[in-house]
Amino acid sequence: MQTVLFHEIIFGPIHSRRLGISLGVNLLPVDGKLCSFDCVYCECGYNAQGVGKSGLPSSDRVEEELKSRLQSMHEAGEKLDVITFAGNGEPTLHPEFEKIIDTTLYLRDHYYPEAKISVLSNATRIYDESVFRALNRVDNNILKLDSLRPETVVLIDNPNDPHFDVNKVVDNLKRFSGNVIIQTMFLRGWHDGKRIDNTVEEELKPWLEALQRVSPRSVMVYTIDRKTPEESLEKVSREELEQIADRARALGFEVSVSA
């Protein structure tokens, strides 16, 4: 099983193909994975590996380590485009998420005022008012929407909640009034003996309709770039991704493609 965990609270900076020079923030355990999805393409591996023993870092420790790293980078004259909340699972599961975002905004303004703050989230907790407020304050509120078909959502994202309803997620995405970036992973392959392919018309039509309902600021279309826990998955070509992106662009959306 593919497992690539982030063993630090603050990691990088790394060069992100979508965001630029990115300093990562991991609000999850440093020795395990904690997520409300169990995606077949997650570079951190499946949730079955467990949450480890380290627990969640406190907001004070996150602040201390982020301040130290930003200060040392600033003094060394290092470039920084973005501070990105990602890591070993779903960052909005941290109970002090809003407080940590507020602290990060303050530190960013002090050390790297031109840098953006991005959150990569699966949107499973946007119904929580604290999470909603925090995501509304960051520069790049990047939320996952891999499929609108329930059976495909189960195959690709495998939500922990047996009552997960992707249409309710779309309704909550509308609450951002456009202050959201939709990120969609396109792939094909097999999982549990079932075929996966969210590039087909029966997938794209409801996806495009959902984009019209949400009216996001922009859309990120991408495909797998690293090894995945489900080894049968196939990368979608840039040409195919561009064709999908063009259909969203025809509806008036700004779309970036990463292949």
Side-chain angles (χ1 to χ4, degrees):
M1 181 181 71
Q2 173 72 8
T3 301
V4 181
L5 295 176
F6 299 93
H7 296 293
E8 299 173 292
I9 296 172
I10 309 300
F11 58 94
I14 61 175
H15 188 274
S16 166
R17 56 183 173 149
R18 283 157 285 167
L19 301 172
I21 299 174
S22 170
L23 185 66
V25 182
N26 172 35
L27 300 184
L28 291 311
V30 295
D31 59 349
K33 186 188 174 196
L34 178 63
C35 195
S36 48
F37 275 0
D38 201 11
C39 299
V40 293
Y41 59 82
C42 182
E43 65 178 324
C44 295
Y46 287 129
N47 293 348
Q49 66 190 278
V51 299
K53 298 180 180 180
S54 66
L56 302 180
S58 68
S59 59
D60 288 343
R61 186 175 177 194
V62 174
E63 178 180 3
E64 178 184 345
E65 295 202 15
L66 180 59
K67 180 179 179 180
S68 176
R69 184 66 63 86
L70 290 176
Q71 186 173 30
S72 63
M73 288 179 63
H74 179 75
E75 290 173 353
E78 296 181 44
K79 180 177 172 59
L80 182 64
D81 295 317
V82 61
I83 300 169
T84 305
F85 286 80
N88 300 332
E90 172 53 40
T92 63
L93 288 173
H94 196 293
E96 296 181 288
F97 180 72
E98 184 176 24
K99 179 180 178 181
I100 292 169
I101 289 296
D102 287 344
T103 298
T104 303
L105 287 164
Y106 173 80
L107 292 173
R108 183 278 308 271
D109 291 346
H110 183 75
Y111 291 105
Y112 283 93
E114 301 302 317
K116 305 297 184 183
I117 295 176
S118 298
V119 177
L120 303 179
S121 169
N122 61 24
T124 54
R125 285 186 45 77
I126 58 175
Y127 65 87
D128 182 283
E129 288 302 319
S130 175
V131 171
F132 178 80
R133 286 194 302 268
L135 290 174
N136 237 341
R137 288 201 286 272
V138 302
D139 301 288
N140 297 318
N141 172 27
I142 305 172
L143 302 182
K144 180 194 302 289
L145 192 63
D146 289 334
S147 174
L148 273 296
R149 301 181 73 230
E151 59 269 40
T152 305
V153 171
V154 170
L155 279 176
I156 295 178
D157 299 322
N158 193 18
N160 293 352
D161 181 358
H163 304 295
F164 178 83
D165 185 340
V166 69
N167 283 298
K168 288 184 179 178
V169 171
V170 172
D171 287 340
N172 279 316
L173 288 170
K174 291 165 58 179
R175 295 176 60 219
F176 288 105
S177 301
N179 185 31
V180 61
I181 298 170
I182 295 299
Q183 182 186 72
T184 302
M185 165 69 78
F186 286 100
L187 47 75
R188 56 176 63 98
W190 293 86
H191 179 63
D192 285 345
K194 297 178 181 178
R195 179 67 173 168
I196 299 173
D197 188 348
N198 63 340
T199 70
V200 297
E201 185 61 28
E202 62 184 356
E203 294 281 349
L204 294 178
K205 186 175 184 293
W207 177 74
L208 291 166
E209 290 172 350
L211 293 184
Q212 290 178 295
R213 288 167 62 191
V214 174
S215 296
R217 189 176 83 212
S218 64
V219 180
M220 291 181 169
V221 168
Y222 71 129
T223 190
I224 52 179
D225 187 48
R226 302 177 179 89
K227 288 184 178 181
T228 57
E230 175 53 77
E231 297 180 357
S232 76
L233 300 181
E234 303 168 13
K235 186 183 182 75
V236 175
S237 71
R238 173 170 282 278
E239 180 182 8
E240 290 177 278
L241 292 178
E242 288 290 354
Q243 291 173 354
I244 293 169
D246 282 344
R247 294 183 64 176
R249 290 172 182 136
L251 297 175
F253 298 112
E254 177 185 331
V255 186
S256 63
V257 174
S258 298

